[in-house]
Each structure stands twice: as structure tokens, then as C-alpha cells.
Amino acid sequence: IDKTLYCMARAGGTATFQVRCECTKTGENVYLVGSSVELGAWDPLKGLLCSTTKQQYPVWTCDPFPLPVHSEVLEFKIVVKHGKETNKDRVRWEHGPNHKVKLPSSSSGSSLIVHCVWGQADVEAEPLRDCQHNLSGQQSLPASDLKQQATAPAAAIRVAPVRPQTSAAVSQQPPRQALQQASSKQPAQSAVPAPATPMTRRQPVSAPGSAAANDRNQLGGGDGDALDGAQLEAGYDTVEGGTQLEIGNDDAVEYEAQLKEDGSDDELPEMPTPATYGRRTSKQQGPLTRQIEAEAEFARQKSGSSIGGDSPAGTEFGRQISASSMDGAESRRAMIRRGSRHMCMNANGHWNQEMSRTPSLMMIDLDEFQEAAESYSKELDALEERQKLNKNMLRMGSSSLLEGMVKITQYADKSKTVMLQGFNWESWRAGGGDWYGIVSKKAEMLADMGFTDVWLPPCSDSVAPQGYLPSQLFNLDKSKYGSQASLEALLEELHSRGIRGLADIVVNHRCGDRQDGEGRWNQFSSGMISRPSFAGVMEWGGWAITLGDKFSDGTGQHHPGHLDGQFDAAPNIDHRNKRVQQSIATWLRWLRLQVGFDGWRFDFVKGYAAEFVGLYCKKTEPAWAVGELWGDMIYDDNGLASNQDKHRQDLVNWINATDKRCTAFDFTTKGILQEACRQNQYWRLRDSQGKPAGLIGWMPKHAVTFLDNHDTGSTQRHWPFPDDKVLVGYAYILTHPGIPCVFWDHVMDWGEDHRRKIADMMKVRQDSGIPVDAPVNIQCADNDLYLAEIGQPPALRVALGPRGAGTPDMNYWSNGPAGKGYCIWVKTPQPPPKPKQEEPQRPPSSRPPPRNPATVAELEKDVRPYKEEFPDFKPVTIDGRYISVAKLQSMDAKELRDLADRLRPLLAAAEKVMELRRDSNKKGAAEEESDRRRAEAAKAEKEETMRKATEEQAKSLAAEKERRKAAEEQAKYLAAKEEEKRKAAEERAKYLAAEEEKRKAAEEEEARRKAAEEQAKSMAAEEERRKAAEEQAKYLAAKEEEKRKAAEERAKYLAAEEEKRKAAEEEEARRKAAEEDDEDAKADNLDFDLHAKAEQEEQEDSKRKEAEGQAKRLAAEEEKKKGNRRRVGQGKGSRKGS
């Protein structure tokens, strides 16, 4: 941004600020907020307002304000806010340190002009005397700028783009009314020249009238004073001859409305222009490229930037070389090239050097030219459509957007697809942080090898440098592999070579870049800063994480599916959440339309349902996609199990769950192939149905075969393919069905010879034209040999393993790439049948051609009967037919007439030749000698060819003999090894049998010992039980004796009590008798006697009940004693029985 800011100032102790700010939107104003009261004391709502006009924009000027008296330094910042904004949180502050202005020691009578730029800390302050200012208050220019304006060409003077006035008075009005007011004012008397360096602009939107102006310039219409279409398209006014040309009121309103409608707030990088696009995407300077460059050259000449300089006014159109456009001998030398050319001129009459130095179009095949033109036209149309879709991505309906994306998608032909994994685990360390630049430099080599696709590493900001712990998905500049600009340049370079780019999509998990209130890293930022319309996209919280995850805050909607895998290192994303689905789809569309990716490689797809992979493919229309479903293979006691149908069935189920919108890496084939190569067990490569044992045997159209990747190989080596068998592995996957994927290390890091061998195999696959689902005829699958023919009819034949496969029918097959452990044969191309040509007439030879002796004898036999009639006739060969006397006799009249007609010109020619030879014997002798020498040379060449063929055959036979001998030696060696193994197995069997006998004997002895111990333990336990029973019986007898004695004592006690009771009754009877005698005493004591009697009756009743209870208890105890005696008797009986 140019720091030359033009200013105005007022007299007195004041300061006037000139601020350059281009980041404002319609309705927003620029304010100054600082340390002084005049600048709001750091309150953004009380800052000092700056205003601008359409002529001054993007320069904003504030009204002069008094300088603070007691301050030496004035600090301030620039803020942008809407005129009606009252919320401090929605004010946009500029980043970076505060601007600082050193104030003069005495502010009395001092006026300062302060210049500053948004986002830059530099501040320029100068006193009023350093600027020219008129008394009327209008702005003027410094003397140097006035001089520069006077000498500058008219077309070079530009001002800022037209914008509505955004002062406080106008900001309250609707945009249309504000624009009409701004444009209805009189233009300024003098315009401010634009800075020398071009201003940074957003994606230009064509203003009204620009299309017509651009077309007029392109077609050469109009005079030299016509407006430049590029200037109008960028929104500039043009000053010519001191008069400012303004865009009309209605045009300005429509232009501003279009800016608002099209969402120009999104800062989109400019797409390539047609000229540069044609130059980049063509592998060589084709005719269409030259035509595009010619049009661009003409546009540059009209805008005053032609190669040879500006055309002088008044130059007539003519075929003359202008002195201003050609620099004498140097220009003429630039136009001298080999071949036929035309001298090409532009519409203004100047020679076009670029077109003139190219070959003439008359020497170009028009069919090829038309084909190239149509191809480039489609590419340009796709580029324009992609730019349109990218800009309106969030404004278009989903169906309309997908229809547009379908139009620009070049879907992959799986039969011709060969992919390269364009990185390894350590690639982020290479290239000084620009891995994309390394791959870009190798794009031409990759195209020459035949790669159609390159799988690139994860491109977003990531916690891990390899990219597999992504955070801010839209932030591509923080990737360890390079910047977003470098990535887009790489993809453009790949596209120019006809190679697609696949992005590595990691959406199973995502790392938060902020913590929530509980310290969990589950707050996600998008990383998008250039497109405000993407606000909210990829801005996630804890609600986007699956329930039950350690990073979840419980606000999510769904738990993981029952088949979903768990990734513990980062939060697992809830793909069932509709908002998550929409955000991921938007991000993928942005990767396609903005960055330029063509397809997807989905990482760790076992962590979320396959239906979502299909959904994302449906919403983004990639050229093709592949998923990484790495599951566990089946193992048994012998290692890898021979039947892996369950493993590949899981892959089939996953592919079907994506609605077949996505392919899958064939991990089944990788596991089986590397085990077969490592153990020389090539029988593994054929399943029970006679088909290939991997996914390519069931769904070859959706199988991506590979040997290693950044996880299985590279520096991690979690599951590596045997290093010494890598070429054997590529001989399998590059000749068999499926979509092969080659690892970067095997092509780039293992040497030139290794790369050349892989390239040869890729060329064989490409030349053979086998389809992705070609049938495979497996002829042999033994331990040490795998032999198969691929295609229908067979186009490739491959043998793997140490055992030789013999020589096939070399009339059908020809030798292809071969190496240690592999050999490939290619179907011999059949030459097209040659059209039959009439043999030229040759004079009859005096000597008959050589004939088969048997044929001669037969013909001589036919001639004998007619020799006497035709003594001078000798058999001849005419048109391949042997003519003898017998043949003549067998011909009818028509055949004889045809033969005569055929011989007449021959005889005439022979006579003519003889006459000529007589006239030039010497010349004829020389020609004869020349013919003889040519014949001898041809004969020698033929003999040499036969000798070489014989030598080659001998070498081939010797090589075959050596191979057969080596095979025999190998067979003997293997037989010896097998015999050794058999003997070792027999010895091992004998040893194991002896050991088994010993083990069984030991087990029997141990069983007997344990049985004896158990019996002894049982007898001891029985003795213990007997003793316990005897002790129990003694105890019970003692208890019975005690109870008997107690009962006797009780009986005595009761008898004594009974005696007492009887004595008491007798005493009472005596007392009653005494009482009856005294009736008077009874009358007096009647009540007392009744009471005593009642008490006595109660006592007697109580005693009676007590006696009854005692009797019951004694009976119960007696019954208990009887039961104990019965149990003791039963115990004695059981002991006697045992």
C-alpha cells in the first residue's frame, strides 16, 4: 500500500489525520480512538469521525481538533464500525501496536498533518508549511506531485474506485440515495493521482458498461481515447486532459447493488485469465495458445503496454513496420526462425512479433487445431463455471450448486486410473516446509510415467505435523506441507499435466483450539478469515462431539454407532448431527471450487458410519473417492488363515453402505499378497472359486490395490511389504484388475532403476488396455509359482515366484518387463492387413525363376506330349501362375485372349527396354551392376538378419536351457529341502510320540497316586465322623442322665409341694369349721371371707395350671429323648453297614 497520503490542514494548534483504509463495507465509517479526550479516551463509541468522498476514497480525513497541551505523545488506533452501532463488542479494531505521534514542544500556533495506514504502525507527521494549501479550503497537491501529474500519460492517471460518501450526514440515508447525492455533486477541479504501485483489490466485479468497453477494445473498435475495459471492471475513473470521467448515477447505483448482491465482502483470489490459463494448461505452445496470446497482446497494445510501445496517433492501418514497435535489427532477429511463417500484424497496424515468430497456421492440421480448440474451450468454460460456483457457493440452492459441479467434474475412468500417494510420513520435514513445491517440480515426470491421480497429504492446520490431528480446517496456511497458495499452484500444475489431485479428508475426529469452562478442548474455530459469508461454518462446540467421549460436555445429540471405532487422541465427531454434515459438505465444496481438488481419500472410515461417506460424496460430486477401512485379518495357529472371505466381505459391505459412491483400499489383497511373497506361498492368491483372493476377486471396480502407505511402510512400518519383493508385488497389482496405487517411496526414494522398472510395468498396463474389471484366468497357483492371464481375450500374462513358468506361444505373446521373481508377457500387436497392390509389370527374364524340384518334374511330365508341336516354348511364370504347354492346352478361348492381352504390353515393354539397352549399353551395364550390388546388399542384409535371428534364438535357447537348468537345480534343492523337512518331521513325530507315551504314563501314575490319596482321605474322614458320632452319643447320654435326675428332683419337689398343699387344705378345713361355729363372726367378716376365698381359688387355679404346664414339658422332653435315642441307633446301624 502506498504511504503517500495527500492531506489538508487548518491553521492554529490543531491536528488533522489522513487515514488510508480499504476494509470498510457499505454503511461503515472510520473512527480514531486514542488517549486524548478529543479521541474518546479509548472509548470506541466516542471516537473522532473521519469522512471521505468518492474522489478521495480510500483516504479518510477527520476535522481538525485541538492538540493536547500537557502531553508529549499522542497514542491512537483506527477502528471501523457502522454509523448506528452502539455495541462495543462489534467494533473492528486494527491489529498491531498503537500508533504514536510525537507532539511539538509548544502547540500554540502549530498545525500538524498526520498520515497513517490501517494495519501499519508507521505514522508520518509534518507541519502545515510542508503542504501546499489554498485559502478556499480545497485540496491541492505538493509541487512534485503536480509536476508528475503534468508529465504523466493521460491513461496512467487513476483515482480510487467510486464509493458513496460515508460521512455522518450521509450514512443515515439509504445506499441508493447516498450514491445519488454523491454522484450529483460537481467533480473536483483536480483529481488525486493514484499511487505508483497498484492497489490491492478484491475479486473484481464488472461494472455496467465494462463488457461493451472490453469487447470494443478486444475487437479493435473505437479510437485511442476509448475507456480501458479493465479500468472500468476494476471500478476506476480515468482522468484524461484534466477532466474526470465519472460513472453515471444509475450505473453507480447498479454497480454498488451488484457488489452487495454478489457478496464482494468475500476476498477471493483472482482466477487465471484466459491468456495465462491457456499458457499454463498447455504442455506445449499449441496453435490455440498462440491465438490466445495474440488476443492478449492486442489487449495490451490497446491499454498502452504493447511490446513495442504505444502506437503514435494518426498511424494508418498498413503493412508497415513502425519504428516505435520494432527496434531495428534486434526485432528483425527476433522474428527470424526456421520454417514457413506469415508476417502478422495487429489491428492497429503494428507487427505482432510473437505471432510472427511462430510457424504458419497453413502448416497446422486443422482437425487437430479444432480438437485442441474445443478442449481448451471446455477447460476455460469449466474454469469460469468453477469461479462462479465458488463465489456463490452459500447463496445457491444445493441442487443448483450440484448441477453446476457436475458440469465441471471430469469423472475418473477407472480402467485408466493409476494413483500415486504423493507423500510419506516424513514429508512434512522436506523442502523447508514446502512439500507442495517438491511435488510440483516432479509433475512432468509423473505425467510421463502415466499417473492420472496424486493423493496429497492433509492440508489443514493440525496439532500433529503430519496433518492427521486437524484443528482449523479452513486454515491451510498453517500446514507443515506448505501454504494455501503453494497448494493451489501445485494443483494447477497437476491439472496442466492431466493429473487429478485427491485430498486426504480427516473428519472422524478434530482437535479443539480452545477450552470450555471445564478445561476440555472442545471449542473449534474454522480458520476462515477472507470470506465473511462463511461465518459459523466449522465453528463448533461440545455439541458436535459424540456423547460418551472424554471431550464431550454432554450437549451432543447422539452416541457412537455400535460399529463405530473409537479414536482416543482427539474428540470424535458426531456425523449424525445435521449441522456437522452441512459444515463438512461446505468445507469439501470449498476444497473443490476454491483450492482445486478433484477427489477425496477418506481417513479412518471405521470411526463413523459408511452412509456419511456416501452422503459427503453425493453433496460434493468428486471425480472419484476412496476410503481407508483397515480391519483385522483372520489368523490361526499357522499364521494368516487361508480363507479371508470375512475380511473382504467387510469391505464389500462398507462399499455397499456408501451406495457404491466410494471405493476402498484393498487391504485383503495387500495382506494375502505380502504373505504369499514373504513365505513363497503363492497358492494364497487363488480362492476356492478360482478367482483372485482379495477384494479384486469380488468387486474389482471398487478396489484400490496397493503395497504400502505412510502407515504400513515409510518410517512407521506398522505392516510393511517385504522390501526385496516390492517389484514382485507391483508386477501383480499393475497387471491385475482394480485401481493400482503406487507409494511415493518406491518411486522417488529407491533409485532410478527401481523407478524405471515400475514405469515399465505401468506402460505395459496402459498399452494393454485391460479394463478395471478384467477377467483373470489363474492357470497355476502353487507354493513357488503363480501364473495367470488377464483380459478377454488375454492381453497380459504374468508369472510370479522362483520357479520358471516356461516359454508361452511366442506367436501370440511377446516379452515384457521381467526381473527377479516376476515375468510379464504382452500380447503381440497384430499389424493391420496391407491393401493388395497390383504388381508392377516387369520384363520377362531369360531365366525361369527357381522352382520346387517336385513341381518341375510334374510340369515336365505335362510338357512331353506337346514338345514336338511347340519345340521353342519354355515354361514361364506370369502373375504368379506357372504357364506350361499343358497349361496352355487346358485354357479356354477367353483365358487365352486375356493371357495374350496381358503379354502384349509386356512384350512391347521388353522390346522397348532392349532398344534402350542397345542405345546405352554402358549405362545399362552400370545399372545392372548397381542392381547386382543392391541385390547383394539385400542378400547380405537378409543373411545378417538371419544370423542375428539365429544368434537371438541360440541365446534364447541357451537362456531357456539355463533357466531349465536353474529350475532343475532349484527343484533338486527344493526336493532335498523337502526330504530334509520330511525326515525332520518324522524325527519330530517320533520324538513327540515318545514324549506322548511318557506323558500318558506320568498322567496314569499321577492318577493312581491321587486315587490312593483320595481313598486314604476318605477313610480318615470316615473315622473322624465315627469318633464324632460316639462323642455325640456320649454327650447325649450325659444330657439324658442330667435331665432324668432333674426330673426326679422336680418330682420330689412337686410331691413336697403337694404335701404342703394338702396340709394347707386341712388347715383351711379346720379353720372353716371353726368359722362355721361362730356365725356372728362370719356375719361380721362375710365380705372378708368372700375375698379370701376368691384369692384362694385363684391361687389353686394357678397352681393347677402350673402343674399341667410342667407335665407337658416333661412329656415333650421325654419325646425328645426318644428321638435322640432313635438317631443314635440309626447312626450305629450306618457304621455297621459301611
Side-chain angles (χ1 to χ4, degrees), residues 796-833:
L796 290 175
R797 176 183 173 95
V798 60
L800 308 178
R803 189 176 67 174
T807 303
D809 181 8
M810 299 309 291
N811 293 324
Y812 186 89
W813 299 105
S814 58
N815 292 325
K820 183 180 179 181
Y822 70 94
C823 187
I824 301 174
W825 293 271
V826 185
K827 178 183 177 183
T828 303
Q830 300 297 329

Side-chain angles (χ1 to χ4, degrees), residues 174-192:
R176 183 178 182 85
Q177 185 178 356
L179 277 172
Q180 289 175 349
Q181 272 195 0
S183 59
S184 62
K185 295 180 180 181
Q186 295 296 329
Q189 297 298 323
S190 61
V192 181

Side-chain angles (χ1 to χ4, degrees), residues 137-164:
Q138 295 180 347
Q139 178 181 350
S140 63
L141 305 179
S144 60
D145 294 332
L146 292 174
K147 182 178 180 180
Q148 179 181 2
Q149 178 181 356
T151 58
I157 303 177
R158 298 178 180 177
V159 299
V162 178
R163 293 291 179 106

Side-chain angles (χ1 to χ4, degrees), residues 580-598:
V580 168
Q581 295 175 9
Q582 187 60 35
S583 294
I584 293 177
T586 301
W587 176 59
L588 293 177
R589 291 170 179 173
W590 179 79
L591 289 178
R592 283 213 59 202
L593 300 176
Q594 172 63 54
V595 183
F597 281 109
D598 302 283

Side-chain angles (χ1 to χ4, degrees), residues 237-551:
D237 296 343
T238 305
V239 178
E240 299 190 0
T243 303
Q244 181 179 4
L245 302 177
E246 297 185 67
I247 299 177
N249 299 341
D250 295 337
D251 292 345
V253 172
E254 184 178 353
Y255 176 43
E256 188 67 24
Q258 186 176 3
L259 282 173
K260 183 176 181 181
E261 178 182 356
D262 290 345
S264 63
D265 295 336
D266 291 349
E267 297 181 3
L268 304 180
E270 295 187 6
M271 303 296 263
T273 62
T276 58
Y277 181 80
R279 188 178 300 109
R280 287 188 202 138
T281 56
S282 60
K283 294 184 179 179
Q284 56 185 356
Q285 290 281 336
L288 182 65
T289 304
R290 292 194 291 272
Q291 179 179 348
I292 294 174
E293 290 181 347
E295 295 176 357
E297 172 67 17
F298 176 68
R300 288 195 298 270
Q301 290 181 354
K302 291 300 292 181
S303 62
S305 61
S306 62
I307 296 176
D310 295 334
S311 173
T315 303
E316 298 181 357
F317 181 84
R319 297 183 180 275
Q320 301 177 6
I321 299 180
S322 172
S324 63
S325 63
M326 298 293 294
D327 189 12
E330 181 179 357
S331 297
R332 288 192 294 272
R333 285 194 300 269
M335 296 174 61
I336 297 175
R337 297 289 188 276
R338 295 180 180 178
S340 172
R341 289 172 179 79
H342 288 303
M343 302 301 290
C344 300
M345 288 188 297
N346 297 321
N348 60 2
H350 291 177
W351 293 104
N352 188 318
Q353 299 181 42
E354 295 297 326
M355 286 293 292
S356 299
R357 70 176 56 159
T358 58
S360 170
L361 293 179
M362 295 176 63
M363 304 181 67
I364 295 176
D365 189 336
L366 293 182
D367 293 336
E368 294 180 0
F369 178 84
Q370 183 178 1
E371 183 180 354
E374 292 176 354
S375 174
Y376 285 125
S377 177
K378 290 179 181 178
E379 292 180 10
L380 291 175
D381 291 342
L383 183 67
E384 294 173 359
E385 182 67 18
R386 171 185 155 195
Q387 180 181 1
K388 177 183 176 181
L389 295 175
N390 181 31
K391 187 172 185 179
N392 301 316
M393 187 189 309
L394 299 182
R395 297 177 177 86
M396 300 177 65
S398 180
S399 59
S400 301
L401 180 63
L402 288 178
E403 288 177 2
M405 295 179 70
V406 168
K407 295 179 181 178
I408 66 173
T409 301
Q410 295 182 355
Y411 295 97
D413 183 354
K414 295 181 180 179
S415 296
K416 299 180 180 178
T417 300
V418 179
M419 183 170 67
L420 170 73
Q421 180 178 355
F423 64 100
N424 59 30
W425 190 250
E426 305 296 335
S427 295
W428 63 276
R429 303 177 186 272
D434 186 18
W435 176 253
Y436 301 138
I438 293 177
V439 180
S440 181
K441 293 177 182 178
K442 299 183 181 296
E444 182 178 0
M445 181 184 67
L446 299 179
D448 293 339
M449 290 183 67
F451 288 107
T452 61
D453 297 79
V454 174
W455 157 25
L456 296 174
C459 57
S460 299
D461 174 32
S462 171
V463 175
Q466 293 82 9
Y468 288 97
L469 292 177
S471 179
Q472 297 181 359
L473 294 180
F474 280 107
N475 189 349
L476 308 190
D477 288 328
K478 286 188 177 181
S479 171
K480 296 296 185 181
Y481 297 100
S483 64
Q484 179 176 341
S486 179
L487 173 59
E488 292 179 1
L490 165 61
L491 289 170
E492 185 178 353
E493 177 66 22
L494 293 176
H495 292 161
S496 71
R497 306 289 179 181
I499 302 175
R500 291 179 293 265
L502 267 68
D504 203 326
I505 305 302
V506 187
V507 291
N508 169 75
H509 49 272
R510 184 182 177 193
C511 294
D513 55 353
R514 302 189 310 277
Q515 293 175 295
D516 62 2
E518 300 296 329
R520 293 180 291 255
W521 291 92
N522 57 11
Q523 304 298 308
F524 307 91
S525 301
S526 68
M528 172 62 75
I529 58 176
S530 61
R531 302 185 68 171
S533 63
F534 278 62
V537 179
M538 287 294 178
E539 299 281 347
W540 296 348
W543 53 266
I545 303 174
T546 55
L547 293 175
D549 192 278
K550 65 181 180 180
F551 296 94

Side-chain angles (χ1 to χ4, degrees), residues 737-769:
I739 304 172
C741 177
V742 181
F743 188 36
W744 176 273
D745 291 4
H746 299 157
V747 175
M748 299 300 174
D749 297 341
W750 286 26
E752 177 65 28
D753 182 66
H754 206 269
R755 176 167 59 245
R756 179 184 57 78
K757 291 178 179 178
I758 295 177
D760 291 342
M761 298 182 201
M762 292 174 58
K763 187 177 187 305
V764 163
R765 180 184 182 90
Q766 180 181 3
D767 294 343
S768 65

